[in-house]
Amino acid sequence: MLNTPPKLEFKSSTFFAPILILYTNDMVAIEQALHDKISLAPDFFKDSPLIIDLREVNKLNLDLDFVELMQLLRRIGFFPVGIRGGNEQQNKQARALSLPIDTVRELGNSIVIGEVQKPENTQQPPAQPEVIAVKEPVQPAAIPPISAATILVTQPIRSGQRIYASGDLIILSQVSAGAEIMAEGNIHVYNTLRGRALAGVHGNTAARIFCFDLQAELISIAGDYKTSEDLNKQTYNHPVQIYLQNHALIIKEIA
Amino acid sequence: MARIIVVTSGKGGVGKTTTSAAIAMGLAKKGHKTAVIDFDVGLRNLDLILGCERRVVYDFINVINGEASLNQALIRDKNCNLLYILPASQTRDKDALTHEGVGKVLDELSKDFGYIVCDSPAGIEKGANLALYFADDAFVVTNPEISSVRDSDRMLGILSSKSRRAERNEEPIKEYLLLTRYDADRVKLGEMLSLEDVQEILSLELLGIIPESKSVLSASNAGIPVILDEKSEAGQAYADVVARYLGEKLPHRFIDGKKGFLRRLFGGRK
């Protein structure tokens, strides 16, 4: 062969990571709030990369122990991969910890922990690895916009597979026992639902679950859940919709 | 270019190696040059089922490591000269399998063979993942019981997401169901899942039902693939499977079980 194969190449790509926006410097409160979030979708947050947004803390002139924060996040199981909106001292600390620093563009409304996509970011210094972040305005946490990344799945969701939608999730095939489907918005399953379905995982209490044949292992809306043991025999094996009313899950047959 | 078939299940003891040996032999008997590879490194069994354990000199890992050529390691079957076996190494473990090594061996075999049957180990770890990664077709071997069905379902998820075809966004692996150790009498008594029960969860194209049969164990012990036992139901069922895979339209047998002695005498009543 005349040409030796290349040793490496650079490629540009965009990927997703949650951004953690802090409103307090109280480590105990932060830890508690994170545990609450994680309990909603443990697998989703496990080993998740994370960008830390410090603008709100700095707006309030709160003194944040940056090193302690990093230790806390790593202990819980996150992998901080960068910060933004830090002050001079925080940026210095971040550099000392080998964390990339993202220059901030003005954002619209923010979500507390959200999955956001980054368009081309031309302001970024060229030497930095391309990390996540920044997008057009996002609605406040409670009501994610319906149009936000509705995901349509036509393949069967097999045991052990996980699907996450930052908007609505529509599934045309069966969802097997041992599969997990999660959406920040509504979940529609136009087939048999045997796995776990978690709608409104970021706290949207208006989210609903619809399915043609309810045989789920677990259903949850905004953290309120029922396991198959708690499911009423009358709705089992029936087409249903599931919604929240006064913190109670209502399972209603669709006539 | 060879067609690469993975025989997989997730769960152990459901009949993967028996199936691999039978269908590889069946394809070879139909005139296709076929290689069957044992991916169960460290727990070598395929050579026993095919009765060539005493002729193993080099193995799959030797070829991957460049210690032997493919031709040195391939064992020609004594019953059919179109069938070749690439045995696993018994002294190593699955870590000896490498992505590049397996890919290279399969590429080389592809030039010369019509079909390559990959006998996957149980589990969803490295050996199983490498056995399915390069596949074009998957035979999912399932027993009519709930844990086997769930493990098969899990395996189907991996087939659709972790294969080369999935990574390259090509046409997905074609998945077929093989229901083995099926006992129609126990199904009737409600002690075993029926074909419908299994299909409700897996919904796959059914390639065949292999009835529970004593001939499978005797064939294994004798080192003769059960498909060569043409008198046995399991042997006939595997022959049907191969024929269906190659495109023949055959009605499914062995769903309702044997007729009892008296019913055979007086004719069945429906």
Side-chain angles (χ1 to χ4, degrees):
Chain A
M1 271 184 280
L2 290 172
N3 296 326
T4 52
K7 297 289 179 291
L8 53 78
E9 62 181 319
F10 279 105
K11 279 191 171 169
S12 168
S13 82
T14 304
F15 54 99
F16 296 93
I19 294 174
L20 178 68
I21 302 176
L22 296 174
Y23 295 99
T24 172
N25 62 349
D26 178 352
M27 289 296 162
V28 179
I30 291 174
E31 180 161 8
Q32 186 54 47
L34 282 171
H35 277 302
D36 290 347
K37 285 281 179 198
I38 290 169
S39 66
L40 291 175
D43 286 343
F44 177 69
F45 286 114
K46 190 169 173 273
D47 301 334
S48 175
L50 199 65
I51 312 262
I52 299 127
D53 189 318
L54 297 168
R55 281 171 304 157
E56 297 298 327
V57 183
N58 290 336
K59 255 188 227 164
L60 299 169
N61 276 325
L62 294 172
D63 190 24
L64 186 88
D65 188 333
F66 195 69
V67 178
E68 198 189 335
L69 175 68
M70 288 303 125
Q71 285 167 348
L72 166 70
L73 291 172
R74 293 203 169 108
R75 194 169 66 238
I76 294 180
F78 287 106
F79 290 96
V81 293
I83 70 160
R84 66 181 190 189
N87 58 30
E88 215 164 290
Q89 198 206 341
Q90 288 158 341
N91 286 350
K92 213 166 121 189
Q93 285 173 320
R95 269 191 215 100
L97 292 167
S98 308
L99 281 177
I101 298 149
D102 189 26
T103 47
V104 179
R105 275 200 236 161
E106 209 36 62
L107 297 184
N109 298 322
S110 307
I111 47 179
V112 179
I113 296 178
E115 212 184 41
V116 290
Q117 191 176 12
K118 178 193 169 197
E120 284 308 305
N121 185 350
T122 46
Q123 297 177 352
Q124 201 153 6
Q128 283 187 359
E130 193 181 13
V131 195
I132 353 306
V134 192
K135 69 170 281 184
E136 63 272 22
V138 178
Q139 299 290 312
I143 321 146
I146 305 296
S147 59
T150 293
I151 291 183
L152 173 73
V153 183
T154 55
Q155 302 271 344
I157 318 282
R158 301 290 185 179
S159 187
Q161 290 187 309
R162 275 166 50 223
I163 305 279
Y164 187 97
S166 47
D168 281 8
L169 179 56
I170 302 173
I171 294 170
L172 299 181
S173 303
Q174 59 175 355
V175 179
S176 290
E180 196 167 57
I181 54 175
M182 291 179 280
E184 290 172 27
N186 306 303
I187 292 178
H188 306 252
V189 181
Y190 296 101
N191 210 309
T192 308
L193 170 61
R194 294 195 180 88
R196 297 157 156 252
L198 299 92
V201 289
H202 283 172
N204 180 3
T205 51
R208 293 186 179 210
I209 299 172
F210 306 84
C211 71
F212 260 24
D213 183 352
L214 177 68
Q215 300 179 29
E217 294 173 319
L218 179 141
I219 45 168
S220 160
I221 292 172
D224 284 306
Y225 67 89
K226 272 186 179 173
T227 61
S228 63
E229 236 178 29
D230 310 324
L231 292 181
N232 192 332
K233 290 260 178 330
Q234 276 154 7
T235 47
Y236 203 76
N237 270 329
H238 283 83
V240 296
Q241 64 157 322
I242 301 157
Y243 55 93
L244 264 187
Q245 209 170 59
N246 302 326
H247 288 284
L249 277 180
I250 310 291
I251 304 175
K252 207 167 191 177
E253 194 168 338
I254 303 173
Chain B
M1 272 306 279
R3 194 90 186 154
I4 301 174
I5 301 168
V6 62
V7 177
T8 187
S9 70
K11 195 172 183 299
V14 296
K16 283 182 296 296
T17 301
T18 302
T19 300
S20 299
I23 61 162
M25 176 62 82
L27 289 165
K29 293 283 267 185
K30 290 264 186 186
H32 302 281
K33 193 173 178 188
T34 303
V36 55
I37 306 177
D38 192 348
F39 274 78
D40 206 347
V41 178
L43 294 167
R44 191 175 89 195
N45 279 164
L46 182 69
D47 52 321
L48 291 171
I49 307 291
L50 284 160
C52 65
E53 72 277 11
R54 284 193 270 181
R55 290 191 285 147
V56 175
V57 182
Y58 295 108
D59 57 50
F60 194 14
I61 302 301
N62 291 137
V63 179
I64 286 175
N65 292 344
E67 295 150 3
S69 75
L70 201 46
N71 282 332
Q72 285 175 304
L74 282 172
I75 304 170
R76 178 183 281 199
D77 186 81
K78 55 182 186 272
N79 292 304
C80 179
N81 60 13
L82 286 175
L83 177 61
Y84 291 79
I85 299 118
L86 185 53
S89 171
Q90 183 70 347
T91 53
R92 309 291 291 275
D93 60 32
K94 311 283 190 278
D95 290 333
L97 290 170
T98 63
H99 216 277
E100 301 72 34
V102 173
K104 226 174 74 192
V105 171
L106 289 175
D107 275 350
E108 207 178 324
L109 282 172
S110 284
K111 290 178 200 151
D112 204 23
F113 284 82
Y115 290 95
I116 302 169
V117 178
C118 301
D119 179 20
S120 169
I124 51 171
E125 279 75 43
K126 195 174 183 186
N129 283 332
L130 279 173
L132 69 83
Y133 181 77
F134 299 94
D136 301 305
D137 300 311
F139 287 18
V140 179
V141 181
T142 306
N143 287 170
E145 50 106 4
I146 194 73
S147 57
S148 174
V149 173
R150 175 169 296 184
D151 289 0
S152 292
D153 194 50
R154 175 87 169 99
M155 198 37 96
L156 287 162
I158 295 173
L159 281 167
S160 63
S161 59
K162 291 201 178 148
S163 65
R164 177 167 67 175
R165 283 172 172 265
E167 279 177 10
R168 291 184 179 173
N169 242 333
E170 294 170 356
E171 194 187 326
I173 293 178
K174 181 83 187 90
E175 302 152 345
Y176 299 97
L177 174 65
L178 231 82
L179 201 54
T180 55
R181 311 197 67 166
Y182 192 84
D183 186 333
D185 293 331
R186 296 193 66 188
V187 170
K188 272 186 208 134
L189 291 171
E191 294 172 355
M192 210 178 238
L193 295 182
S194 69
L195 173 63
E196 293 80 57
D197 295 336
V198 175
Q199 282 292 49
E200 202 186 308
I201 295 171
L202 297 181
S203 41
L204 290 180
E205 182 175 339
L206 178 70
L207 215 45
I209 294 170
I210 316 298
E212 174 79 68
S213 162
K214 285 181 181 153
S215 54
V216 173
L217 186 60
S218 4
S220 295
N221 287 336
I224 300 163
V226 69
I227 196 168
L228 294 177
D229 183 356
E230 286 162 14
K231 288 204 193 76
S232 76
E233 290 193 334
Q236 293 170 19
Y238 275 119
D240 284 4
V241 164
V242 172
R244 283 192 200 102
Y245 174 69
L246 292 174
E248 281 180 50
K249 297 261 179 289
L250 295 173
H252 283 288
R253 296 196 273 170
F254 312 113
I255 298 177
D256 298 323
K258 309 190 252 284
K259 289 178 178 170
F261 171 69
L262 286 175
R263 265 196 284 166
R264 229 182 311 165
L265 270 184
F266 299 112
R269 265 180 299 172
K270 285 247 163 167

